[in-house]
Amino acid sequence: MATAENILQQKAAQSDAPAVPVQPPVPVQSAAPQPDDDSTQSVSDEDAVSGESVNLQRAYSKLNSAIAALFDSLGVRRTATIPHVAGENMTQHLQAIGSVLPAIGGVTANLLTATHTKHDPNGGATIAHPAAKLRSTTIPKNSEPAKAAVAACRNFVNKAAFLLGDDDPTVKIAKSQLDLIGKFGMANMTGFDSGVALLSVPGPLIQAIAKAHSGTKDGGHAPHLRAPRK
């Protein structure tokens, strides 16, 4: 099997969050659940991973989409859906989000998910669900959307493990966290706790991959991570 370094040398760096074009301020709106990703009808824990198919942007987008779908399935009505618009940059999209948030209680009153422009059949969006309602809503037993959200997170972890190696400490921690989060299909967890827990898993993996990728470049790691030259 090719080493993580060889794989990383062959691939461009993956973004640590979905990079998407955006739109100017838009009115707050409710929206129906996002349809499944265009590559599969459902996310599987057994999703194939190979050197030619690792795409962290797509996996991260699918995770966000699955979490939003879980919230929708719990009957938690969206407070806002801010779609991405082709040709506009991230700064403009963040400005659009900033113009909407005050009308719906701000950042602390909402839990945000975001799908990627290229990997969401609807073109991507930033979605807000009310945090208070999520905290008071629990996931029932045998919830298929909950299982799908766990599977989407596991898919991301598996892809990261392929790049970093199963023995990487960050991978081991992520897998342990996910085993704990996904136990019993997240039954009886609140929507808020489940969403925050699943979204917290990719962060350290993304950082580890970015650091490993930087190490494959001429001159070693990023300047602020390199040891002093003699």
Side-chain angles (χ1 to χ4, degrees), residues 145-176:
K147 293 177 183 178
V150 172
C153 191
R154 194 178 305 281
N155 179 42
F156 186 96
V157 172
N158 288 342
K159 290 184 184 298
F162 182 80
L163 296 175
L164 295 170
D166 289 328
D167 293 331
D168 185 274
T170 309
V171 171
K172 290 182 177 180
I173 292 173
K175 289 185 175 181
S176 296

Side-chain angles (χ1 to χ4, degrees), residues 7-212:
I7 294 298
L8 290 167
Q9 286 175 327
Q10 295 171 4
K11 297 182 64 63
Q14 298 290 340
S15 172
D16 62 350
V20 292
V22 293
Q23 71 168 26
V26 298
V28 178
Q29 58 180 333
S30 298
Q34 298 283 347
D36 292 324
D37 186 88
D38 55 352
S39 60
T40 59
Q41 290 301 308
S42 62
V43 183
S44 169
D45 286 356
E46 308 302 326
D47 196 13
V49 176
S50 71
E52 298 301 323
S53 65
V54 172
N55 188 321
L56 295 182
Q57 286 184 337
R58 179 170 60 193
Y60 190 79
S61 180
K62 290 171 72 173
L63 171 59
N64 277 258
S65 181
I67 293 172
L70 169 61
F71 295 165
D72 292 335
S73 76
L74 296 174
V76 179
R77 187 179 178 84
R78 301 179 183 187
T79 50
T81 299
I82 308 170
H84 305 150
V85 175
E88 295 181 344
N89 59 42
M90 180 61 71
T91 298
Q92 291 170 313
H93 186 60
L94 291 176
Q95 290 173 344
I97 295 171
S99 70
V100 171
L101 283 176
I104 58 175
V107 175
T108 58
N110 296 276
L111 183 55
L112 304 181
T113 52
T115 57
H116 195 285
T117 308
K118 294 181 180 179
H119 305 303
D120 183 330
N122 285 342
T126 296
I127 302 164
H129 283 86
K133 182 64 175 177
L134 290 173
R135 289 190 180 97
S136 63
T137 304
T138 57
I139 299 172
K141 292 182 180 180
N142 300 318
S143 167
E144 291 302 322
K147 293 177 183 178
V150 172
C153 191
R154 194 178 305 281
N155 179 42
F156 186 96
V157 172
N158 288 342
K159 290 184 184 298
F162 182 80
L163 296 175
L164 295 170
D166 289 328
D167 293 331
D168 185 274
T170 309
V171 171
K172 290 182 177 180
I173 292 173
K175 289 185 175 181
S176 296
Q177 290 175 324
L178 189 55
D179 287 342
L180 180 61
I181 296 167
K183 194 173 184 179
F184 308 119
M186 301 195 295
N188 299 318
M189 287 182 67
T190 68
F192 185 87
D193 288 344
S194 66
V196 170
L198 291 173
L199 288 171
S200 71
V201 173
L205 294 170
I206 292 169
Q207 291 178 341
I209 291 170
K211 182 178 180 180

